[in-house]
Amino acid sequence: MKSSSVTAREKGTDLLKVRDLHVEGFSDERWHPIVRGVDLSLKRGEVLGLIGESGAGKSTIGLAAMGYAKPGCRITQGSVLFDGVDLLSMSEARRRRLRGSRIAYVAQSAAAWFNPAHRLLDQTVETAVAHGIASRDKANRDAIDLYRRLQLPEPETIGFRYPHQVSGGQLQRAMTAMAMACRPDLIVFDEPTTALDVTTQVEVLASIRRIVEDFNTAAIYVTHDLAVVAQMADRIMVLRHGQTVEEADTRQMLTTPTQEYTRTLWAVRKLAKPEIRTQDHLLAIDNVTAAYAGRVKVLVDVSIKVPRGRTVAVVGESGSGKSTLARVVTGLLPAMSGSMSFDGKPLTLSLKGRSKDLLRRIQMVYQSPDSALNPRQTVEEIISRPLEFYLGLKGQQRDERVGELMHMIEMDESFLDRLPGELSGGQKQRICIARALAANPELIICDEVTSALDQIVQEEILKLLMRLQHELGISYIFITHDIATVRAIADEVVVMHKGQVVEQGLKTEILAPPHAAYTELLLSSVPQMDPDWLTGLLARRNPIFK
């Protein structure tokens, strides 16, 4: 389907060889090192996993392997040999011809990379046709074959849908099909399953692994999820502060890491909160049904109670109604029927019917701080706004409270004059928490607040939330698809599926067998730190993978 040198196809030879890679980024009016002298090699058909906490340089290295640096970054030293030719020394025009045809990229958020105005099939075949690799008819047939290999529903017709007409998991697989359309020698996967629920993640991981094996494609798999990289990678490279900590075969790395930092990564997320049963409920939701624009019901007769000073985790796959439940509680989506009470008093279903004080008492922290924070406001302005709006604080009183809130989220006041773009992902999420705390709420709804964070930062945020709950007596509704997070932070668990509550109760009751069938599906889909886990799971669920 495409020409490729014999050298790249010879067994045992390196398709990609990166040596002494240095990358810098520009901020605070100067250049800062991001990647410091990294070496890596990759053979055809091999998958290299890059892991490490935020700021380790994982994505930067993945992009540099394509001869690319993001705006505001520059490659200052080293070589990137792809099939024996240095990508960094060739012309930009030649690099562009390679990208998409022989080198491809799959991003974390497929929704951000698809053009909403064009059908999936048109976007899948565009590169193959533009590079002259295939005619439009052949490219269409190849795309349908890829859709089938990637286990997409109705492969013959799904390509005629627009991006918004498919689920997140389906769109992620469609992006993988788009990357594979030219049968590239190398694919860079940059956190492709981070935002997916566990059941969808299993499907996408299986699809990616099958397509890489079928076409003997080399891949770099960037992730912060250790259990995921255990399923996907032949070798793992651990990174920190832009440098290689250690590198080894996956099984060896999982069982006998040599460096203390790696052992620390392996040990995170072992938090376990003992739950306490209480009948003192702050929020009661009774037989609530909700729909968007009066169409298909998204919530059906949902009843949930949230104890005062406790955490209720709401779990379920994409489309189960978790985030819709949050919108109903906050009044952003008025329920069609049912009732709610807060602190023993009726809670108006519509936002418009709620007093300012009631709005103050129920706050929300969103999944993506990048979209939740105004990029043009400083940290001080962001936190000050609710203090002024809800509490009427001004001047010295307001400034002192801002300082107290910064102390609560374990950040010092030197961050107050920074913009969100100058903060790490974990720091931005802490600012979102401080903004919610500024209103002195009694209930905070946390909607997937740790899903985009690396595991070390996730642990820090969870510890922060638990400490704040202990000190302030706040109740949480914690929406998540991460069972490890549930084990860490929840007192009670609500399992949702297709807009209904499947089961609910104390964490120990819900997570201990026997489980309801759907709960069992969720729990069995949580990746384990075992390289054979995915293979075994697929074999049990579908004989085709045996």
Side-chain angles (χ1 to χ4, degrees):
M1 192 166 180
K2 61 169 175 48
S3 62
S4 178
S5 76
V6 175
T7 305
R9 293 188 178 277
E10 289 177 357
K11 186 177 180 180
T13 60
D14 289 327
L15 173 70
L16 179 71
K17 185 179 291 185
V18 177
R19 291 293 178 265
D20 195 30
L21 179 68
H22 288 74
V23 184
E24 295 180 343
F26 190 78
S27 64
D28 298 330
E29 304 301 321
R30 62 190 181 92
W31 291 95
H32 302 268
I34 299 175
V35 178
R36 312 163 189 249
V38 167
D39 297 338
L40 68 83
S41 298
L42 190 61
K43 293 176 172 52
R44 173 170 293 280
E46 184 180 37
V47 179
L48 173 66
L50 300 184
I51 67 168
E53 57 191 297
S54 297
K58 306 184 297 295
S59 295
T60 302
I61 293 171
L63 292 171
M66 303 169 63
Y68 180 79
K70 293 185 293 185
C73 297
R74 64 184 184 185
I75 300 172
T76 58
Q77 187 175 321
S79 60
V80 179
L81 297 178
F82 174 74
D83 198 10
V85 180
D86 190 355
L87 296 177
L88 304 184
S89 63
M90 67 175 55
S91 68
E92 180 60 26
R94 190 177 174 192
R95 278 197 295 266
R96 286 181 180 275
R97 286 195 294 271
L98 283 175
R99 294 179 195 141
S101 59
R102 296 193 60 196
I103 304 173
Y105 179 76
V106 176
Q108 176 176 344
S109 174
W113 287 76
F114 275 94
N115 188 325
H118 294 281
R119 299 179 191 274
L120 296 177
L121 184 62
D122 294 334
Q123 298 184 67
T124 301
V125 304
E126 180 181 11
T127 302
V129 175
H131 283 273
I133 293 172
S135 67
R136 177 60 194 247
D137 287 344
K138 188 176 189 313
N140 285 350
R141 293 195 300 272
D142 289 341
I144 291 170
D145 178 61
L146 285 169
Y147 293 158
R148 187 177 293 109
R149 289 171 181 267
L150 288 163
Q151 304 290 303
L152 281 164
E154 302 173 357
E156 288 80 11
T157 59
I158 193 171
F160 296 106
R161 300 182 194 176
Y162 290 94
H164 71 276
Q165 294 176 315
V166 299
S167 70
Q170 290 168 354
L171 198 60
Q172 203 68 48
R173 278 176 281 176
M175 189 174 190
T176 302
M178 185 164 61
M180 288 299 305
C182 295
R183 304 297 191 267
D185 297 297
L186 170 66
I187 296 185
V188 177
F189 293 99
D190 194 355
E191 303 270 16
T193 64
T194 294
L196 304 179
D197 64 74
V198 289
T199 54
T200 305
Q201 178 177 253
V202 166
E203 297 173 0
V204 174
L205 290 177
S207 298
I208 288 174
R209 199 166 76 173
R210 285 190 69 200
I211 207 77
V212 167
E213 291 172 354
D214 287 350
F215 294 104
N216 198 31
T217 304
I220 293 175
Y221 198 97
V222 176
T223 183
H224 62 250
D225 193 320
L226 309 176
V228 165
V229 81
Q231 313 311 313
M232 304 303 293
D234 300 295
R235 287 183 295 121
I236 294 176
M237 176 183 287
V238 180
L239 297 158
R240 190 184 191 194
H241 303 321
Q243 296 178 300
T244 302
V245 175
E246 62 176 311
E247 179 182 355
D249 172 82
T250 296
R251 293 181 187 277
Q252 178 184 338
M253 184 72 82
L254 293 175
T255 55
T256 56
T258 62
Q259 301 299 310
E260 180 59 33
Y261 175 70
T262 306
R263 290 191 286 271
T264 300
L265 281 179
W266 273 209
V268 300
R269 301 300 304 280
K270 293 185 178 178
L271 298 175
K273 177 185 178 185
E275 73 274 34
I276 301 172
R277 192 187 298 272
T278 177
Q279 297 301 316
D280 183 13
H281 296 118
L282 176 66
L283 174 70
I285 303 168
D286 295 306
N287 301 115
V288 162
T289 295
Y292 288 101
R295 297 177 182 174
V296 178
K297 294 176 181 177
V298 185
L299 297 180
V300 181
D301 293 329
V302 170
S303 296
I304 296 171
K305 288 183 168 59
V306 180
R308 193 182 302 273
R310 299 287 177 259
T311 300
V312 174
V314 181
V315 301
E317 60 190 328
S318 298
S320 62
K322 305 187 301 296
S323 294
T324 301
L325 177 66
R327 292 176 61 83
V328 168
V329 172
T330 57
L332 294 172
L333 176 66
M336 295 170 59
S337 61
S339 63
M340 295 188 290
S341 64
F342 186 80
D343 198 17
K345 299 176 182 179
L347 181 62
T348 306
L349 297 180
S350 173
L351 182 70
K352 294 180 180 179
R354 300 183 186 182
S355 65
K356 181 188 286 190
D357 187 62
L358 192 53
L359 296 177
R360 174 191 66 78
R361 296 167 72 188
I362 302 175
Q363 293 292 307
M364 189 159 177
V365 179
Y366 296 89
Q367 176 177 355
S368 172
D370 287 321
S371 57
L373 298 175
N374 188 326
R376 297 185 177 181
Q377 290 185 340
T378 65
V379 168
E380 184 173 21
E381 290 171 328
I382 289 168
I383 299 176
S384 294
R385 174 60 178 155
L387 294 175
E388 296 171 351
F389 180 76
Y390 288 117
L391 306 177
L393 298 185
K394 295 182 179 180
Q396 183 178 351
Q397 205 175 13
R398 177 199 59 204
D399 296 343
E400 289 176 354
R401 182 56 179 163
V402 168
E404 291 172 0
L405 288 164
M406 292 294 286
H407 178 73
M408 281 185 186
I409 61 169
E410 298 164 0
M411 291 177 69
D412 63 59
E413 295 181 42
S414 65
F415 290 93
L416 288 176
D417 61 353
R418 297 193 190 183
L419 296 170
E422 299 173 302
L423 305 176
S424 70
Q427 289 168 343
K428 282 183 279 195
Q429 200 60 286
R430 287 174 186 266
I431 298 304
C432 288
I433 293 170
R435 180 174 61 181
L437 290 174
N440 288 343
E442 295 165 47
L443 172 66
I444 296 180
I445 302 171
C446 300
D447 190 1
E448 300 278 13
V449 297
T450 61
S451 66
L453 304 175
D454 69 70
Q455 289 174 284
I456 288 179
V457 178
Q458 284 183 29
E459 185 178 36
E460 293 173 354
I461 295 296
L462 293 178
K463 285 181 176 177
L464 170 64
L465 290 169
M466 286 190 286
R467 178 178 63 77
L468 292 170
Q469 184 175 67
H470 176 73
E471 293 175 356
L472 304 175
I474 301 170
S475 299
Y476 296 130
I477 295 176
F478 207 96
I479 295 168
T480 183
H481 61 251
D482 186 348
I483 303 300
T485 295
V486 173
R487 290 192 173 99
I489 201 169
D491 294 290
E492 299 185 13
V493 179
V494 174
V495 181
M496 295 189 67
H497 182 50
K498 295 183 178 178
Q500 296 180 299
V501 174
V502 175
E503 60 177 330
Q504 59 182 306
L506 287 176
K507 174 177 61 180
T508 51
E509 297 171 350
I510 300 301
L511 298 185
H515 306 114
Y518 178 69
T519 306
E520 175 62 33
L521 175 66
L522 282 180
L523 295 176
S524 66
S525 299
V526 179
Q528 305 297 312
M529 296 282 282
D530 173 5
D532 299 319
W533 171 82
L534 182 60
T535 301
L537 178 71
L538 296 174
R540 290 192 299 274
R541 290 186 181 177
N542 190 341
I544 193 175
F545 292 108
K546 287 185 178 179

